[in-house]
Amino acid sequence: MNVTLLDPAVEAATKNARAWVKVLAKYRDPNTFRSIFELAVTLIPFAAIWAVAWWMLSYSYALALGLAVVNGLFLVRLFAIQHDCGHSSFFKNSRVGDWVGRALGVLTLTPYDVWRRSHSIHHASSGNLDKRGMGDILTLTVDEYRDRSWFGRLKYRAYRNPIVLFVVGPMYVFILQNRLPLGFMRAGWQYWVSAMGTNVMIAAILAVIVYFGGLMPLLLIFLPTSIVAASIGVWLFYVQHQFEETHWDHNEDWQLHDAALHGSSYYVLPAVLQWMTANIGVHHVHHLYSRIPFYRLTEVLRDHTVLAQSQRMTIRESFVTVGLQLWDERERRLLSFAQVRAKYGAS
């Protein structure tokens, strides 16, 4: 599977990734009223659907569950807004953005300060083979996989199984893993405050839900909404970096801007899904300049058609990426287990 190949003119225009930083800087300033509007048109429907779903429990569990599933999309959008707050791109006042991010973290089950730190590491090391493991999808090279024991290969195959990656994994990360500041257990008190403070608020909200509605709102609304949003979020993160001609280098050859542009996709979505995901599919531009508010990313594509043509991936093409698991350093592309077996022999 390939993202859409570039014609020679487009390829030449995107070759010098570093040069884009100065061009994109003019899009970095958020509009406070626009940011408040985007937050309102996401948070209000989210709360309204939650309320209607709760009311529907008295009439139909199936309809309540259906509404909860749909509401997962609004929760994805709230996470995208939290994501912008983490990049200080949603409000001009970063303190306001941080507190909005912390509040949204209660809804997304994500301690904001912990996530912001891990996500900044992801941006600073994306595509670096020597700095894998923080805020990314585990990806082995062909040689690393072949050097593993049979049990090590089995564990990696299990990890890369679609059910694990997009169903079990997201539930584990958002419902369990996020309850502790894993990776930052000894990095400072602020990460413990972030994780524990978020946990206390989540527990208080769940206690109120159970007190007034019993277990059904928890089982048929809260959990489905959270699980659907988590799975969609992990899927989006996956396809933004896991495609055949992505970009990985060892530290001595790695360059931040090249990895940002060529190691991130432009996930082309229908208008409704693009709105629901807050333009996060325009990921190559986001990685090039993360301070751009999500609602200005389309301005970039409108003004610079070369970026609108680069790294494109359609929904149909994205499904093929699920079958790519190993980075071939020789061919500089992701391969499937079957391709590796055919090319390098039984493994």
Side-chain angles (χ1 to χ4, degrees):
M1 173 268 169
N2 296 306
V3 293
T4 303
L5 296 177
L6 305 181
D7 62 46
V10 173
E11 186 173 5
T14 58
K15 191 171 184 180
N16 187 358
R18 188 194 296 267
W20 280 105
V21 175
K22 186 176 181 180
V23 175
L24 297 176
K26 70 177 184 179
Y27 298 93
R28 65 175 285 171
D29 292 331
N31 180 297
T32 300
F33 292 104
R34 176 68 183 273
S35 295
I36 293 172
F37 172 79
E38 295 291 350
L39 178 60
V41 298
T42 311
L43 188 57
I44 293 173
F46 174 79
I49 293 173
W50 232 104
V52 173
W54 194 331
W55 176 71
M56 285 301 302
L57 286 173
S58 301
Y59 303 94
S60 170
Y61 284 173
L63 287 177
L65 178 61
L67 286 172
V69 169
V70 170
N71 216 16
L73 287 169
F74 282 96
L75 189 55
V76 168
R77 199 169 198 270
L78 288 173
F79 186 90
I81 292 173
Q82 178 186 349
H83 167 265
D84 265 24
C85 291
H87 284 292
S88 299
S89 63
F90 200 64
F91 290 107
K92 293 179 180 179
N93 187 319
S94 61
R95 289 187 178 181
V96 172
D98 286 342
W99 281 106
V100 169
R102 292 181 182 112
L104 293 177
V106 177
L107 300 179
T108 64
L109 309 182
T110 306
Y112 173 77
D113 294 281
V114 178
W115 171 85
R116 182 177 59 175
R117 174 72 182 276
S118 67
H119 192 65
S120 69
I121 294 173
H122 161 68
H123 269 260
S125 61
S126 181
N128 190 323
L129 286 169
D130 298 315
K131 295 182 178 179
R132 285 167 288 173
M134 179 62 71
D136 57 14
I137 302 291
L138 175 62
T139 305
L140 295 181
T141 68
V142 170
D143 291 340
E144 288 170 340
Y145 175 76
R146 288 170 61 82
D147 287 342
R148 283 194 167 196
S149 66
W150 71 268
F151 185 63
R153 296 177 189 176
L154 180 64
K155 287 196 297 183
Y156 184 68
R157 282 179 173 269
Y159 171 82
R160 298 289 295 211
N161 183 283
I163 299 299
V164 174
L165 273 180
F166 307 120
V167 181
V168 178
M171 287 192 291
Y172 167 75
V173 169
F174 285 89
I175 295 175
L176 295 177
Q177 180 177 298
N178 280 353
R179 307 287 62 82
L180 289 172
L182 297 181
F184 307 104
M185 303 284 276
R186 298 181 179 179
W189 60 267
Q190 66 268 35
Y191 302 111
W192 281 96
V193 170
S194 176
M196 296 304 109
T198 302
N199 291 345
V200 168
M201 292 303 299
I202 292 171
I205 291 173
L206 295 183
V208 170
I209 290 172
V210 172
Y211 179 80
F212 286 103
L215 289 177
M216 285 300 103
L218 187 66
L219 297 176
L220 293 181
I221 304 175
F222 170 77
L223 282 177
T225 297
S226 300
I227 291 170
V228 167
S231 292
I232 293 173
V234 170
W235 169 257
L236 290 170
F237 185 78
Y238 178 89
V239 299
Q240 286 158 3
H241 298 287
Q242 299 278 322
F243 50 93
E244 184 177 348
E245 294 179 348
T246 188
H247 193 93
W248 289 90
D249 278 309
H250 284 287
N251 195 55
E252 60 269 20
D253 298 316
W254 179 83
Q255 204 283 324
L256 176 67
H257 304 95
D258 287 337
L261 177 59
H262 302 295
S264 307
S265 66
Y266 168 27
Y267 197 25
V268 184
L269 297 171
V272 172
L273 292 180
Q274 184 171 321
W275 187 89
M276 284 292 189
T277 57
N279 298 326
I280 198 63
V282 191
H283 212 64
H284 59 324
V285 177
H286 168 67
H287 260 260
L288 270 174
Y289 208 99
S290 61
R291 290 292 300 273
I292 300 175
F294 76 80
Y295 50 79
R296 300 200 67 184
L297 291 172
T298 51
E299 291 181 44
V300 175
L301 298 185
R302 181 197 64 203
D303 295 345
H304 304 283
T305 55
V306 63
L307 290 176
Q309 295 178 51
S310 64
Q311 304 298 95
R312 291 171 65 92
M313 180 191 297
T314 65
I315 291 179
R316 182 177 181 180
E317 289 172 327
S318 70
F319 292 142
V320 183
T321 66
V322 177
L324 304 176
Q325 298 94 2
L326 296 166
W327 176 249
D328 190 327
E329 295 182 82
R330 302 168 186 84
E331 294 193 1
R332 296 192 58 78
R333 64 191 182 104
L334 276 177
L335 301 177
S336 67
F337 291 124
Q339 287 173 316
V340 170
R341 186 166 54 252
K343 186 174 179 62
Y344 297 107
S347 60

